Amino acid sequence: AAAAAEQASTLDAVYLAKELAALQALAPDSGHVDTLANSIISKQKTEGEQVYFGNSIYDTVMVLTALGKAGKLSGVDQAKVLNYLNTHRHEHHNVFGQPAGYAWGGWEPEESDTTAQVLAALSYFDDAKKEESEVYRAIQGGLLYLQDIQDLDTGAITHTYDSAFATAETLIALKALGMTYEEYAGSGSPWVKKTKTKTIAQCLLALNEWGESGRVNKLVGLLTARHSANGFEGSVYSDMWAYIALGEAG
């Protein structure tokens, strides 16, 4: 970081942002934090009512996050940055064709990992918690999109190539937005999904055939814990699978 600060004028904003992020994590009181942040801010690009960094939304988001974590976003016109980010924002529709939030993307219109990264960056904006602001509305729209595409059985944030990465980015964003562990992972959280009985039962049938005793016992526990006088879900179409699976598992 010291070396980067000495030659900051010759390095691009994205490179410096990586240095700043690492320095902020390890030595937030270092005098190089201001040097790196000021140099990054001096490299912002302006086109009309838009401000951005580097050559893409990915570059801009990385820089904004680094500056945000360091508490150095005051030197950036946040409204104009949001204008730039929103050139990559798309209205998302649910399976019924109804509007269900916003997604951000660079290569594709909807990229769940990029959307989560945008939300994490926006969490550091001055107006992030002001309900009447464009920033707040953008954040809420992004959260609505991520919840809409969340897998109901696994809780994963779905992604064409890597759902694990998109899920991790979403958890990072939720924490950056100030949510506590209970709010995003507690039993009452809307982000925590209850796997369908039929899905658990079919997994149990398969694992039982493979002799996966450890996981079999866990799935048996999930099913028996939700059983009542009304069955499992009160539906013969799902409950019959549970009875069959438990019977096969002994």
Side-chain angles (χ1 to χ4, degrees):
E6 290 177 2
Q7 52 183 327
S9 62
T10 65
L11 299 172
D12 63 63
V14 176
Y15 183 97
L16 293 174
K18 295 177 182 178
E19 296 282 354
L20 177 60
L23 185 62
Q24 179 64 26
L26 296 172
D29 295 327
S30 169
H32 297 307
V33 168
D34 284 339
T35 302
L36 292 173
N38 291 335
S39 183
I40 291 170
I41 292 170
S42 71
K43 298 175 188 295
Q44 61 186 293
K45 302 176 181 179
T46 302
E47 288 187 10
E49 293 300 306
Q50 298 177 21
V51 168
Y52 61 97
F53 294 86
N55 301 307
S56 68
I57 183 175
Y58 311 112
D59 291 347
T60 299
V61 168
M62 178 183 291
V63 170
L64 292 174
T65 303
L67 290 174
K69 287 182 177 180
K72 302 298 181 182
L73 273 176
S74 59
V76 178
D77 190 322
Q78 297 175 19
K80 290 185 177 181
V81 171
L82 182 61
N83 288 341
Y84 169 76
L85 292 175
N86 284 345
T87 63
H88 296 83
R89 189 178 84 179
H90 307 271
E91 189 173 85
H92 170 73
H93 294 81
N94 61 24
V95 293
F96 303 107
Q98 301 168 328
Y102 306 124
W104 281 262
W107 296 104
E108 298 178 0
E110 295 188 0
E111 297 171 4
S112 51
D113 53 347
T114 302
T115 299
Q117 291 169 351
V118 168
L119 298 186
L122 292 179
S123 73
Y124 299 106
F125 279 38
D126 295 338
D127 292 344
K129 297 186 183 302
K130 296 180 181 178
E131 296 186 9
E132 72 281 3
S133 71
E134 287 298 321
V135 176
Y136 181 86
R137 283 192 283 271
I139 291 173
Q140 298 310 307
L143 292 174
L144 182 58
Y145 156 71
L146 291 173
Q147 284 189 320
D148 185 66
I149 65 169
Q150 191 178 15
D151 187 88
L152 297 180
D153 281 325
T154 66
I157 304 300
T158 56
H159 189 280
T160 304
Y161 306 107
D162 193 342
S163 294
F165 184 78
T167 304
E169 291 288 359
T170 299
L171 289 171
I172 291 171
L174 295 180
K175 186 172 183 181
L177 288 166
M179 293 189 189
T180 64
Y181 181 83
E182 279 299 310
E183 288 175 315
Y184 61 74
S187 59
S189 170
W191 295 92
V192 175
K193 306 303 179 185
K194 181 180 179 181
T195 306
K196 294 189 288 290
T197 294
K198 181 178 178 180
T199 300
I200 299 174
Q202 290 179 329
C203 288
L204 174 56
L205 284 168
L207 291 177
N208 189 56
E209 287 295 317
W210 297 337
E212 290 271 354
S213 59
R215 293 188 176 91
V216 163
N217 291 335
K218 289 182 179 179
L219 293 178
V220 167
L222 285 176
L223 287 177
T224 55
R226 67 175 57 177
H227 187 257
S228 70
N230 296 318
F232 297 89
E233 291 186 4
S235 167
V236 65
Y237 303 107
S238 62
D239 289 5
M240 68 175 182
W241 285 102
Y243 288 120
I244 291 170
L246 289 172
E248 289 287 333

